[in-house]
Amino acid sequence: MGAKGKIALGVVVSVVVIGAVSANAGDDGDSGSGGKGKDSAASAERGSGTKSDTKSGTKSDTKADAGTKKDAKAGEAEKKVAFQGDGDFEVGTDVKPGTYRTTGNTGGLCYWERTKDASGEMDSILANDNVSGTSYVTIPAGDKLFKSSGCKDWEAVGTKATGTPAALIKGDGGMHRVGVDIAPGTYRSTGNTDDLCYWERTKDASHSMEAILANNNVSGTAVVTVAAGDAYFKTTGCKDWKKTG
């Protein structure tokens, strides 16, 4: 991305307080191999019932289980990757409008950008960010391009996603969905230095200035209450956050 990859319009670099996803392998071994004929195999089945039960029950169940696992894997794969972490994607053609998530990014080398046209000029950027950890982005139908560089693959996120909210937040973990990734409540982070710890409460994943409910750059100890009505909590460069209330 060049120099543009280092510009994060959505990241506040100084304090800005805005406010408030068998086939039956055969019973050939029983019926055709080892010198046994069809009559002897059938006789053995009638005498004990064991082979008949195996055919009608266990292997049939195995086929059903295999089908279930195949369907589950297909559904999981379909849910997992919506588009790759590198490239320019035309909204409405390459990527559908909606909310997406990328996880596992390290070193802040993941860069994404929403644009209103394909001119490549700075004025075309609607929102952008350099990401460590996880990021959520909502791409509206009115955007022209979504650009992603050095990121992990992006997954589509449903509007009614569920999860087991955690009470511990990784301090450099990026964005967390309130009520899904983390539980609402009051959190404390200690040992931060040089104002490199930045946190942000937002009402959506547009990354616009209007979406920010509150934010701060922190040295030392930070305490913030993440409300149940918040959509996301973002943290970068901080020590881990522990829920205290």
Side-chain angles (χ1 to χ4, degrees):
M1 295 292 297
K4 195 175 292 185
K6 298 298 182 181
I7 298 169
L9 303 183
V11 173
V12 181
V13 294
S14 60
V15 176
V16 178
V17 179
I18 305 300
V21 171
S22 119
N24 276 338
D27 298 314
D28 292 344
D30 292 334
S31 61
S33 64
K36 291 184 180 180
K38 292 182 180 179
D39 293 341
S40 61
S43 177
E45 288 176 8
R46 285 195 296 270
S48 66
T50 303
K51 292 183 180 178
S52 177
D53 291 343
T54 300
K55 284 184 177 181
S56 62
T58 305
K59 291 189 176 181
S60 178
D61 292 342
T62 300
K63 289 177 69 177
D65 290 343
T68 301
K69 290 179 181 179
K70 183 177 180 181
D71 292 342
K73 287 182 179 180
E76 184 178 328
E78 182 179 352
K79 178 182 178 182
K80 185 176 180 182
V81 179
F83 55 95
Q84 296 178 338
D86 285 290
D88 294 354
F89 304 94
E90 192 168 5
V91 180
T93 301
D94 302 318
V95 57
K96 297 179 181 179
T99 299
Y100 297 89
R101 175 180 64 186
T102 178
T103 64
N105 302 288
T106 58
L109 298 179
C110 164
Y111 173 79
W112 63 260
E113 179 179 296
R114 291 174 45 220
T115 73
K116 63 183 179 181
D117 57 46
S119 68
E121 298 177 0
M122 293 296 295
D123 289 345
S124 71
I125 300 176
L126 297 169
N128 65 353
D129 201 4
N130 290 304
V131 178
S132 284
T134 298
S135 185
Y136 288 84
V137 182
T138 296
I139 305 174
D143 287 7
K144 176 62 177 178
L145 293 178
F146 182 78
K147 301 184 177 184
S148 179
S149 176
C151 303
K152 299 292 185 178
D153 290 340
W154 292 85
E155 308 169 6
V157 177
T159 57
K160 297 182 179 180
T162 59
T164 303
L168 178 67
I169 306 173
K170 188 175 179 181
D172 203 34
M175 286 182 74
H176 305 275
R177 192 168 178 173
V178 180
V180 176
D181 301 326
I182 63 171
T186 298
Y187 290 83
R188 179 184 179 92
S189 173
T190 60
N192 303 292
T193 59
D194 300 327
D195 290 331
L196 296 178
C197 166
Y198 172 77
W199 64 259
E200 180 180 294
R201 294 171 46 225
T202 71
K203 62 182 180 181
D204 59 44
S206 67
H207 294 265
S208 65
M209 293 298 289
E210 292 76 14
I212 301 175
L213 297 169
N215 64 352
N216 205 358
N217 289 299
V218 180
S219 282
T221 299
V223 178
V224 59
T225 296
V226 180
D230 293 355
Y232 300 92
F233 178 71
K234 180 179 179 180
T235 170
T236 180
C238 303
K239 298 295 183 179
D240 291 349
W241 298 81
K242 296 180 180 180
K243 192 171 182 291
T244 59

